[in-house]
Structures are given as C-alpha cells and as structure tokens.
Amino acid sequence: TNTPTTTGDRSKKKQLLADGDDKKAKLMSLVTLGSAAFKIVMASLLAVTVPQLCGETVCSFSENVTDLTEYNMFVLAINFITLSALLLVQVLIFLRENWIVEYLDQDRHQPEDGLPTLLSKFPKFERDLTKLNKRSMYAASAAFIILIFNTIF
C-alpha cells in the first residue's frame, strides 16, 4: 500500500532511492501513455483505419479523408470526438498516476487494501486523490458513451 509522506520523513539515502524509483515510475507511466495513445488512435479513427472499398480496390488513406459525403464527414467527426475523449481520459489517468508517485510511497508492511484507512488520517491527500479519481471516472464514463456511438456509426 502507498503511504503519504513528506521529504522530512526520510533519510537522505532513502530519499535518493525513492527519487530514483519515482523517476522510473513516472517514465513507465509516460511509456504506458504513449502506448495507449497509439491504441486509441487506431481504435478511434475507424473511418480511416478500417479498410474500405473504393470501387474495386481498397481505399487509400487520402481517399478515406477526401471527397467525403455528409455521412462520411459525420462519421469522421465522431471518430475525432472519440479520439479526443479517450486521449483526455488517458491524460487524466497519467496525471493521477504522477500524483500518486509524487505524494504516496510504497510500504510493504501495510496491507494491500489499507489505503482508505490510511488516507482518512490525511484529509488533504484523501481529498486530492478523490478529486483525481472522480475526474478520471467521469471522463471515462463520458468517453465510453462516445465510444459506443463511434462503434454504431
């Protein structure tokens, strides 16, 4: 479980180790964001990434985005709205993860499900984490609804 700490709570040696772990965790979070962004682009832009027929051959990328009918423009707009919504969710999750890395430390002596009990002793941390969790949840819920529309059209 993670525990709220301040830099004054650790020795300098532990602080240096923790900073290295924090940098590694933040880098991994950034790599995960990049990987997720690629997947999101491929899954959101269905009008462009799913092969379509143009006469007798498969449409090229440029054919998928030029000379569009009103319906094609509508679908492409929904694709980009979906892309934006899903990327927003990923950015919010990335910011939440960085907040956790910055303000909470791993404590192997605490139970895995002990964070809510521990956070109740630190109201500011609890409020901040709850706010980040709610933002991510609301954004994910909205993105899910948009994704359903994207799949339908």
Side-chain angles (χ1 to χ4, degrees):
T1 278
N2 298 316
T3 56
T5 64
T6 62
T7 55
D9 293 342
R10 302 183 224 162
S11 69
K12 286 185 180 183
K13 183 176 180 182
K14 280 181 110 178
Q15 179 65 44
L16 288 173
L17 290 173
D19 286 346
D21 289 344
D22 287 356
K23 287 176 185 173
K24 185 190 298 184
K26 287 181 180 182
L27 179 62
M28 288 305 298
S29 183
L30 187 60
V31 168
T32 301
L33 176 66
S35 172
F38 174 76
K39 292 174 189 176
I40 288 169
V41 167
M42 296 304 290
S44 299
L45 300 179
L46 297 174
V48 178
T49 60
V50 173
Q52 300 176 41
L53 282 178
C54 290
E56 296 290 321
T57 62
V58 175
C59 299
S60 67
F61 176 80
S62 63
E63 289 174 316
N64 283 337
V65 294
T66 57
D67 298 326
L68 301 173
T69 66
E70 284 185 29
Y71 178 74
N72 293 115
M73 287 190 296
F74 171 74
V75 169
L76 204 54
I78 288 178
N79 285 181
F80 278 101
I81 290 169
T82 304
L83 175 65
S84 300
L86 292 173
L87 286 176
L88 174 64
V89 170
Q90 285 304 309
V91 167
L92 290 174
I93 290 171
F94 174 75
L95 294 174
R96 177 185 173 273
E97 292 299 319
N98 278 334
W99 184 92
I100 288 171
V101 168
E102 185 73 26
Y103 292 104
L104 304 178
D105 285 334
Q106 187 86 20
D107 185 351
R108 297 184 192 331
H109 302 293
Q110 295 291 327
E112 287 291 321
D113 60 351
L115 186 59
T117 305
L118 183 65
L119 279 177
S120 66
K121 298 174 187 174
F122 301 91
K124 181 184 179 339
F125 287 107
E126 186 175 31
R127 258 190 326 273
D128 291 349
L129 185 57
T130 299
K131 186 166 69 170
L132 290 167
N133 286 338
K134 284 184 178 181
R135 276 187 198 159
S136 297
M137 181 187 70
Y138 294 143
S141 298
F144 180 72
I145 292 167
I146 294 168
L147 184 61
I148 289 171
F149 282 109
N150 192 45
T151 305
I152 292 171
F153 294 107

